[in-house]
Amino acid sequence: MRWRHRDRSLLLWVLIAGVLLALVVNPLVRLLWASVHGAAGFTLDNYVTAYSRWRYLEALGNSLVLGLAVGLLCIVFGVPMAWAVSRTDMPGKGLVWAAVLGTFIVPSYLSAVAWILLAGPNAGWLNRGFMALTGAAAGPFNVYSMPGLVLVIAASSFPYMFVFTRSALDLISSEMEDAATTLGAGIVRTTLRVTLPLTLPAIMAAFIVEFLEAIALFGAPALIALPGRFQVMTTTLWQFFEFPPRVEVAAAYAMPLLLITVLLFWLQQRIIARKGYVALTGKGGERRLVRLGGWRWPLLGYCLLVTSLGFFMPMVVVLQAAFAKAWGRGFSLDNLTLHNLRFVLVDQPLTRAATVHTFVYGGVSAALALALALAIAYIVRRGLVPFGRALAYVAMAPFVIPGIVLAIGFYAAYTSPPLVLYGTAWILILAFTTRFLPIAYANSDAALRSINPELEDAVRVLGGGRLLALRRVVAPLLKRGLAGAFILVFIPATRELSAAIFLYTTGTQVLSVLLFDKSDEGNFEYLAAIGLILVLGTVAMVLAGFRLIGRDFMLRRTTA
Amino acid sequence: MSKLALARVGCRFGGVVAVDDVSLALASGEFVSLLGPSGCGKTTTLRMIAGLLEPTSGTITMDGQVISAPGTSLPPERRNMSMIFQSYAIWPNMTVAENVAFGLEVRRRSRDEIRTRVEHILGVVQMAHLRDRYPSELSGGQQQRVALARAIVVQPAVLLLDEPLSNLDANLREEMRYEIRRLHDEFHITTVYVTHDQAEAMVTSDRIAVMHQGRIEQVDEPRALYARPRTRFVAGFIGRTNFLDGEVRDDQVVFDHFALPQALFAEPASLSGRVAFSLRPQSIHLRRGRPAASQGTCAIAGQVVQRAYLGEHWDYAVRPQGSALELRVTARPHEVFEVNEAVWLELDPGQLAQIEDRPP
């Protein structure tokens, strides 16, 4: 009798919760299980293998050095730019803003390819320019080094630092600075003693994000560190997968990466949560811009220099190489050709298929992630199942799982029965879905929050069920917000490399994987053409996002 | 048999008791308001009637059938009610006509019938000319009319309104009060109306249930509620009032430095020991000289301590001689007294409403 009155949609909610557990929890559990499991049951041998060789430990050390150096360099790059754009009368802010967005759009592995063309020993543009100017026999730049790797990653990932710092600066009222000025402090002293300390929590939080980004990256380190004969954690993990794959050892080796990430994100949340430090909750008071006088142009120059490293210079060499018969012959009309693009898009079946895969997988996983995230956000917001909060945490959990770790978990979970997905496109699609679920969830939840629950109550009171309310009222109202969320998932899913590299097989390559695979053939014209297709695809989606959601949609802090 | 009955209904959220032991019965076609300050449990009660919330104790019955009880409640879509929400909850993705037609579509009425009934009800609420507008193109009052039309067109067994006028400006609010009552007089739908505005409740309702801290304090017709409040809270919430605390001694009711004969009170027999009363400011009259003793009224000497001119009337505070009390008195504009002036208070003890002597 009781069931007669139960909500018939309950079964659906339970099913969705089950899918979520399979996507997020199962790979993690299997990863952990694999790491402590050997032929004879429970064992710690895998951990011993993973940490008993000097070069594995050295790789771990390299990763930490890389993360710290990238974080520090990002402060140098990002903080002055954020201050200049937020608080000063520097000219050309629109240009700087566009360049930062551009930096976001160029994947870091493409940036690494570009820097190989720029600062490769001898043949790189910068070295050739140096030799031409000074008549020296060799150029000073070598991208295949730890400093080179740090520069490439920092130059392409500083936008996080910029966005975090700028949001904090945007919330500091001029009155706080005026208070210091009226007490006799000059601009420099006020900035150093008042403004910057107020933004310190944001800077620290961004530092953590940069650190984690740097140690979790696979593409750029693999392109630069391996030829430079040094290793980081992610490249070491990849080598465990060279035939025959040693998943158990990889799983054990991945654990510190997972732990560091979880701990630091927890720390970052604590830092951000200390609102008493700075008025991060709302705009306070009037804001005036600092007048820079003669310093306006040098500051703009600095901003353009930084964005040149991350955007302008890489894009110029990528464009040149993509349209060149041979990139080394430079910028002349007779060197121009459309052959590379045609070859990649039309002639070569492998790259043609990869192009299709990239956008199909990206689209399907964005749709899946969005459907799942929306359902979970709805369940949690409307309190439809007990312990809904826990579902929200699970949906956000992939945020603190490095892509490479998630990939190993997926490999461990879905290469053996009962569910064999390895070898199919689904393992890539589901891995992307899981990896970007947090973006979808955060955006779905925000969209849902804007809908008054009374709109649904009205449907029910008038005789419609909950599913009718979803179909006739909630879905139409969410359309716009969800289109934006779709784009925000679609973009990273089309460029994903660090999970895809572990999960692709012949027949399911995507462009990012292909770009990486072809890199050791040294055919940079094709690499550039592949990269250009990815960038153009992203630009098209970003433009669509502008139309749907507005100019700021990618540089909001919630998505960073 | 009552149309809708709440029997000892309670609702708690965790440790918080939102609604506590509420019983209420509505006759068919009756219009009852739940009136009370915010947080008194009136909206929670309404949502339980709608089926949007489940009671944690007690039962709700409609036409004798249990529709809500702890653990087993009929879902809202199967109660044949309709509800008007504080936010109106007009669906912004549908036009006026589509909004109104929705309930009929769910009930699978024929297309012709839907068209006829939507046209008719839009005419009744004077919205026929705006039938193809989207809600964002309507004013607040127009949205309110759409909400009314949408709720009434399905001819619900019970109509529920949750603070429907609180988002309108003052003039429109007054107009809509009468509109709601007019629609009730036309359709005779059993109605529960939640509001914190006593004037709204008084204009629209057959009976008013005053709620306080999750309980119903008093259910009565508007006039009885004003003239005969039974608790300190009701007396203070409905209109302004004076509270008088006294004690019955011999055949007198003794207050602070004045006394009134027990025989003149409305129900003299029920008075004994410590007693408390509510006396409306309109029930006291100010006189310059001692009024001639007349049937049933008493006179008390006092002094004006404060006054305010409010255009439609004077608002005086008068202290009976030697007393610490300050009685509020409403006087007509031409009855002018100066501060500190000695006056006589003329009042009818029969107007004193005895209230439960529960300190506020």
Side-chain angles (χ1 to χ4, degrees):
Chain A
M1 273 315 267
R2 282 195 165 197
W3 276 99
R4 195 170 59 93
H5 290 167
R6 277 279 167 227
D7 213 329
R8 257 174 293 174
S9 49
L10 191 66
L11 200 64
L12 184 61
W13 311 139
V14 174
L15 190 74
I16 285 163
V19 171
L20 184 63
L21 294 183
L23 280 182
V24 180
V25 179
N26 188 31
L28 282 185
V29 170
R30 295 292 286 267
L31 180 76
L32 192 66
W33 194 74
S35 80
V36 294
H37 199 262
F42 178 83
T43 176
L44 287 175
D45 284 355
N46 299 323
Y47 287 87
V48 175
T49 315
Y51 291 101
S52 59
R53 288 176 79 169
W54 172 242
R55 66 190 189 95
Y56 297 159
L57 287 174
E58 198 183 22
L60 198 154
N62 281 339
S63 271
L64 297 181
V65 169
L66 176 69
L68 285 173
V70 166
L72 290 173
L73 193 55
C74 282
I75 293 180
V76 175
F77 283 168
V79 173
M81 285 181 69
W83 180 74
V85 169
S86 174
R87 307 311 313 260
T88 74
D89 62 347
M90 183 185 76
K93 283 184 189 173
L95 178 65
V96 171
W97 183 88
V100 171
L101 183 65
T103 312
F104 248 133
I105 286 171
V106 181
S108 60
Y109 51 80
L110 183 60
S111 191
V113 169
W115 272 94
I116 291 169
L117 303 184
L118 280 164
N122 305 322
W125 287 110
L126 294 177
N127 283 323
R128 283 198 278 165
F130 181 85
M131 289 185 283
L133 281 175
T134 62
F141 306 108
N142 179 11
V143 73
Y144 298 119
S145 62
M146 181 59 100
L149 182 58
V150 170
L151 179 81
V152 169
I153 296 180
S156 75
S157 70
F158 82 88
Y160 295 115
M161 182 65 72
F162 174 85
V163 169
F164 272 56
T165 312
R166 194 187 153 186
S167 331
L169 283 169
D170 279 350
L171 292 171
I172 297 174
S173 90
S174 293
E175 285 167 13
M176 289 196 202
E177 291 168 336
D178 291 347
T181 318
T182 52
L183 291 171
I187 287 185
V188 174
R189 188 193 282 257
T190 304
T191 301
L192 292 181
R193 290 289 302 279
V194 177
T195 316
L196 280 183
L198 280 171
T199 50
L200 205 56
I203 295 174
M204 280 159 62
F207 179 86
I208 291 175
V209 171
E210 303 285 8
F211 178 91
L212 293 174
E213 168 92 359
I215 65 169
L217 270 187
F218 171 74
L223 286 164
I224 289 171
L226 293 183
R229 294 176 188 284
F230 63 100
Q231 295 271 3
V232 293
M233 289 189 85
T234 49
T235 56
T236 309
L237 277 172
W238 186 56
Q239 290 184 340
F240 286 135
F241 268 73
E242 286 183 337
F243 199 82
R246 289 185 291 163
V247 186
E248 328 77 46
V249 183
Y253 193 72
M255 282 300 156
L257 192 57
L258 184 60
L259 285 181
I260 292 172
T261 312
V262 171
L263 273 176
L264 286 181
F265 265 117
W266 174 79
L267 184 67
Q268 190 225 13
Q269 290 304 308
R270 295 265 323 234
I271 292 172
I272 290 176
R274 288 189 61 191
K275 284 183 188 138
Y277 204 88
V278 61
L280 276 173
T281 43
K283 297 220 174 205
E286 175 212 16
R287 296 181 63 245
R288 267 178 297 99
L289 298 179
V290 174
R291 301 179 66 89
L292 290 172
W295 287 97
R296 298 159 72 209
W297 299 105
L299 195 58
L300 177 61
Y302 182 76
C303 293
L304 293 181
L305 175 72
V306 171
T307 48
S308 292
L309 299 178
F311 177 63
F312 293 117
M313 279 160 48
M315 271 324 284
V316 168
V317 294
V318 163
L319 279 170
Q320 190 266 345
F323 292 106
K325 289 172 182 152
W327 69 275
R329 281 167 52 195
F331 298 83
S332 63
L333 277 178
D334 65 341
N335 194 24
L336 275 180
T337 177
L338 284 174
H339 171 256
N340 302 320
L341 276 178
R342 222 190 67 190
F343 180 78
V344 169
L345 281 173
V346 185
D347 295 349
Q348 157 68 274
L350 187 64
T351 50
R352 202 175 57 207
T355 309
V356 175
H357 292 163
T358 298
F359 293 100
V360 171
Y361 298 176
V364 174
S365 44
L368 285 179
L370 207 56
L372 187 60
L374 186 62
I376 296 161
Y378 185 80
I379 292 172
V380 175
R381 283 240 157 243
R382 301 287 183 262
L384 296 181
V385 296
F387 310 111
R389 282 271 126 224
L391 286 185
Y393 281 116
V394 176
M396 287 305 285
F399 193 61
V400 300
I401 307 171
I404 204 160
V405 177
L406 188 74
I408 299 170
F410 260 78
Y411 188 95
Y414 299 116
T415 41
S416 53
L419 192 52
V420 182
L421 295 174
Y422 188 74
T424 70
W426 282 108
I427 197 163
L428 287 166
I429 291 171
L430 293 181
F432 295 165
T433 304
T434 310
R435 203 167 166 210
F436 303 114
L437 189 60
I439 301 178
Y441 182 79
N443 282 279
S444 303
D445 193 49
L448 211 52
R449 204 178 318 150
S450 66
I451 293 184
N452 190 332
E454 287 188 348
L455 290 174
E456 288 167 67
D457 291 344
V459 172
R460 305 200 64 196
V461 171
L462 280 173
R466 198 178 273 285
L467 296 180
L468 185 71
L470 279 175
R471 191 160 51 83
R472 289 287 302 272
V473 174
V474 178
L477 292 179
L478 284 177
K479 241 186 274 168
R480 237 171 85 97
L482 291 191
F486 180 88
I487 291 172
L488 286 171
V489 178
F490 193 29
I491 291 172
T494 54
R495 308 146 34 125
E496 217 291 337
L497 174 63
S498 49
I501 197 75
F502 287 85
L503 300 175
Y504 84 93
T505 41
T506 320
T508 60
Q509 283 108 329
V510 288
L511 284 176
S512 59
V513 166
L514 216 56
L515 189 145
F516 177 75
D517 253 9
K518 298 280 164 210
S519 65
D520 51 3
E521 292 171 11
N523 198 336
F524 286 102
E525 292 81 10
Y526 291 147
L527 294 190
I530 292 173
L532 191 63
I533 294 168
L534 275 176
V535 169
L536 290 179
T538 309
V539 168
M541 289 182 271
V542 170
L543 291 179
F546 284 174
R547 291 199 55 144
L548 281 168
I549 322 159
R551 225 167 71 107
D552 247 6
F553 89 106
M554 269 193 86
L555 294 182
R556 277 181 314 188
R557 200 160 129 181
T558 46
T559 62
Chain B
M1 185 176 59
S2 3
K3 179 75 190 169
L4 180 73
L6 285 72
R8 315 208 56 178
V9 170
C11 182
R12 47 175 74 226
F13 301 104
V16 183
V17 180
V19 173
D20 187 14
D21 205 18
V22 161
S23 296
L24 181 68
L26 279 82
S28 187
E30 195 180 16
F31 193 124
V32 172
S33 283
L34 300 177
L35 174 67
S38 60
C40 73
K42 55 192 190 298
T43 294
T44 307
T45 306
L46 194 76
R47 291 177 70 84
M48 284 192 286
I49 297 173
L52 297 167
L53 267 179
E54 196 170 86
T56 49
S57 59
T59 56
I60 300 173
T61 52
M62 186 162 69
D63 299 322
Q65 303 277 323
V66 174
I67 53 171
S68 283
T72 162
S73 286
L74 201 63
E77 58 266 31
R78 294 173 54 189
R79 296 186 172 215
N80 193 25
M81 296 183 178
S82 44
M83 181 161 172
I84 294 175
F85 296 85
Q86 194 167 356
S87 65
Y88 313 142
I90 304 292
W91 302 304
N93 54 317
M94 303 182 202
T95 62
V96 167
E98 285 167 354
N99 263 282
V100 176
F102 185 90
L104 296 172
E105 284 169 18
V106 171
R107 284 164 175 73
R108 302 189 185 285
R109 295 296 143 84
S110 75
R111 193 169 299 184
D112 286 342
E113 185 189 345
I114 292 176
R115 188 169 345 105
T116 323
R117 282 172 66 177
V118 167
E119 287 312 317
H120 174 247
I121 200 76
L122 284 177
V124 171
V125 298
Q126 300 154 29
M127 288 290 292
H129 58 298
L130 300 173
R131 61 187 312 285
D132 294 322
R133 290 273 184 96
Y134 280 93
S136 57
E137 301 161 331
L138 301 178
S139 69
Q142 289 167 337
Q143 292 188 21
Q144 180 65 74
R145 288 169 190 277
V146 177
L148 277 168
R150 187 178 73 180
I152 292 172
V153 75
V154 296
Q155 296 171 344
V158 175
L159 176 64
L160 308 170
L161 300 97
D162 182 13
E163 305 249 8
L165 305 184
S166 60
N167 289 328
L168 300 178
D169 63 49
N171 289 333
L172 204 52
R173 200 152 54 206
E174 205 169 315
E175 180 190 326
M176 290 306 293
R177 282 174 202 157
Y178 293 101
E179 180 77 9
I180 287 171
R181 182 67 211 189
R182 180 179 72 80
L183 289 171
H184 184 257
D185 291 338
E186 186 169 342
F187 293 98
H188 301 291
I189 302 169
T190 311
T191 303
V192 183
Y193 186 106
V194 160
T195 181
H196 64 271
D197 182 320
Q198 53 157 313
E200 268 176 33
M202 294 236 176
V203 169
T204 54
S205 312
D206 298 320
R207 284 191 302 151
I208 299 173
V210 180
M211 288 191 72
H212 179 48
Q213 293 180 340
R215 294 170 162 273
I216 290 184
E217 296 246 338
Q218 186 174 352
V219 191
D220 254 320
E221 290 170 14
R223 276 190 63 179
L225 209 57
Y226 187 82
R228 291 280 153 206
R230 284 206 302 267
T231 68
R232 204 173 274 268
F233 176 80
V234 173
F237 192 73
I238 311 281
R240 301 179 318 142
T241 199
N242 294 293
F243 290 112
L244 300 174
D245 296 304
E247 202 175 343
V248 180
R249 270 186 231 143
D250 303 327
D251 53 354
Q252 296 271 307
V253 180
V254 181
F255 298 96
D256 186 4
H257 286 82
F258 66 94
L260 301 169
Q262 186 177 358
L264 294 180
F265 281 77
E267 290 170 52
S270 68
L271 301 179
S272 69
R274 301 184 61 81
V275 285
F277 299 92
S278 152
L279 178 62
R280 300 290 178 192
Q282 293 86 339
S283 304
I284 309 176
H285 303 284
L286 293 184
R287 304 279 182 248
R288 281 235 149 65
R290 177 168 193 148
S294 70
Q295 194 73 40
T297 64
C298 300
I300 303 163
Q303 192 178 30
V304 175
V305 290
Q306 210 178 41
R307 67 172 192 180
Y309 179 61
L310 295 172
E312 289 181 12
H313 61 263
W314 279 98
D315 207 358
Y316 291 105
V318 181
R319 175 178 297 143
Q321 221 155 51
S323 174
L325 277 175
E326 280 181 13
L327 297 179
R328 304 178 71 169
V329 180
T330 305
R332 284 177 291 175
H334 65 270
E335 297 174 318
V336 184
F337 300 90
E338 303 299 323
V339 173
N340 291 330
E341 192 177 340
V343 291
W344 285 89
L345 296 148
E346 185 183 23
L347 55 92
D348 171 8
Q351 304 276 326
L352 270 70
Q354 189 183 6
I355 55 178
E356 255 175 63
D357 191 20
R358 190 150 52 86

